[in-house]
Amino acid sequence: MGLLVVGSLGLDTVETPFDKVENALGGSAVYISLSSSYFTGPTYMVGVVGDDFPKKYINLLEDHNIDLEGLQVVDGGKTFRWSGKYHYDLNVRDTLLTELNVFESFDPVIPDKFKKSKFVILGNIDPVLQIRVLDQMEDPNFVVCDTMNYWIEGKREELLKLLKRVNVLIINDSEARLLAHEPNLIKAARQIRELGPEFLIIKKGEHGALLFAEDTVFSAPAYPLEMIYDPTGAGDSFAGGFIGYLHKTQDLSVENMKKAVVYGSALASFCVEKFSTQGLEELDYLRVHDRYREFLNLSKFDE
Ligand code: AMP
């Protein structure tokens, strides 16, 4: 049974202190699916684009065993566009533009073949749409959800309804503080888990990620890269690596979830090494696994 991924597909214009790209492939569903494809398949993608979405991007997704039966292509419609500019400190990003375009009237329709998926990942889109996807699924037993400040501020009530139905929420540190109205991350994590998700992952950019599971807190480092080219999509790649590994192993124990967090961190590190999705286009499982092993050495120490 495939892994169901819903989220944005978009054309990103990104500027960093090193370079600028225009209308490059982006979107949460794209980063998630490319990353998860190195562990498992097929991926059942659900989303929407306009007829301006380049064919070469469709081909790239299909080459990664991504089934596009759930992708709506709107005749005469304009694809979602996002633009961001990174500062010299790459942790700081200004969003210059968010044009929802075809997402504004998107009504996700899950093809029958996809409805039986047991693993679902709701990439960052309007929580109203994320709920509509869940409503159509037959009996998903593991739902992972991502969101961002745009929705925490703009669609809080809908997001709170959604959180009651998800197993894992993945957000970054500033989003966790915003969601919980609490500056301390440990307290914020407790409050967020009381809203529904059994497991919570808080991403801290170049400082790694925290997994809150049962009464455990697990801390994974970020891979120390000398050259970070474009941080766009790091969070989504993390989520894709995380769920891809869990879907492959079908093991939802806390110990296996820790490994999934490290695989997620590995995929995020490949993502930021190149512009747009380029760092995720030509990987293979061995390279991913080698990087995973490097993470082991990063935080191994004697008793
Ligand atoms: P990240 O760097 O992990 O936050 O992900 C960046 C990706 O998210 C970009 O490729 C954007 O196209 C996409 N994105 C940005 N804002 C939104 C939004 N409001 N809804 C859906 N996708 C978005």
Side-chain angles (χ1 to χ4, degrees), residues 25-301:
L25 178 61
S28 52
V30 169
Y31 282 103
I32 292 170
S33 305
L34 289 176
S35 300
S36 65
S37 74
Y38 292 100
F39 301 94
T40 192
T43 301
Y44 295 156
M45 184 185 267
V46 173
V48 65
V49 292
D51 57 9
D52 56 348
F53 192 70
K55 179 79 176 99
K56 63 176 180 193
Y57 295 158
I58 298 276
N59 295 342
L60 173 76
L61 296 173
E62 284 177 338
D63 287 347
H64 285 79
N65 198 10
I66 299 169
D67 184 330
L68 298 178
E69 199 185 317
L71 179 67
Q72 299 174 23
V73 183
V74 180
D75 267 347
K78 206 175 164 202
T79 298
F80 170 78
R81 276 172 175 72
W82 176 82
S83 170
K85 181 175 175 175
Y86 291 87
H87 293 225
Y88 183 66
D89 171 357
L90 289 170
N91 290 306
V92 186
R93 157 171 108 185
D94 296 328
T95 292
L96 305 179
L97 168 105
T98 303
E99 260 185 31
L100 293 177
N101 298 331
V102 287
F103 265 101
E104 240 162 314
S105 50
F106 177 47
D107 188 15
V109 179
I110 312 294
D112 284 342
K113 186 171 94 188
F114 294 6
K115 286 183 181 164
K116 288 189 169 50
S117 288
K118 293 288 172 204
F119 281 58
V120 175
I121 178 159
L122 305 167
N124 170 33
I125 48 169
D126 187 333
V128 173
L129 300 180
Q130 292 173 314
I131 288 174
R132 254 186 246 160
V133 168
L134 283 189
D135 285 344
Q136 294 173 62
M137 298 304 293
E138 284 179 11
D139 184 26
N141 65 1
F142 191 65
V143 179
V144 178
C145 171
D146 189 4
T147 190
M148 72 185 297
N149 48 0
Y150 189 82
W151 307 116
I152 297 172
E153 288 174 321
K155 295 271 176 95
R156 193 177 181 88
E157 285 311 308
E158 293 81 354
L159 183 62
L160 293 180
K161 273 189 206 141
L162 172 70
L163 289 184
K164 295 193 188 345
R165 300 173 64 181
V166 311
N167 301 87
V168 186
L169 176 67
I170 304 183
I171 48 178
N172 70 31
D173 43 2
S174 63
E175 291 158 355
R177 292 187 174 103
L178 187 68
L179 180 57
H181 297 307
E182 165 58 58
N184 179 286
L185 278 187
I186 307 301
K187 285 188 191 160
R190 182 164 13 94
Q191 291 176 21
I192 293 169
R193 290 175 72 196
E194 281 165 7
L195 298 172
E198 200 182 336
F199 305 99
L200 173 69
I201 295 174
I202 299 183
K203 299 165 290 179
K204 299 185 293 155
E206 62 180 340
H207 304 297
L210 293 173
L211 165 71
F212 296 84
E214 295 172 0
D215 47 11
T216 307
V217 185
F218 172 67
S219 171
Y223 188 72
L225 284 170
E226 230 172 84
M227 189 61 205
I228 298 178
Y229 219 65
D230 173 12
T232 309
D236 302 314
S237 308
F238 174 94
F242 173 78
I243 197 158
Y245 178 73
L246 291 176
H247 186 256
K248 171 190 161 86
T249 54
Q250 298 281 313
D251 172 357
L252 298 177
S253 65
V254 174
E255 284 314 306
N256 203 50
M257 236 178 252
K258 291 180 186 175
K259 289 166 132 183
V261 166
V262 177
Y263 274 112
S265 306
L267 265 296
S269 72
F270 285 117
C271 170
V272 303
E273 277 180 317
K274 295 191 180 157
F275 251 100
S276 175
T277 53
Q278 288 166 25
L280 301 175
E281 290 174 18
E282 283 172 31
L283 289 174
D284 55 60
Y285 184 71
L286 267 185
R287 280 186 66 200
V288 172
H289 189 64
D290 277 352
R291 190 154 288 185
Y292 175 88
R293 294 187 63 82
E294 289 181 52
F295 273 89
L296 284 177
N297 290 329
L298 263 180
S299 37
K300 204 161 69 184
F301 55 90

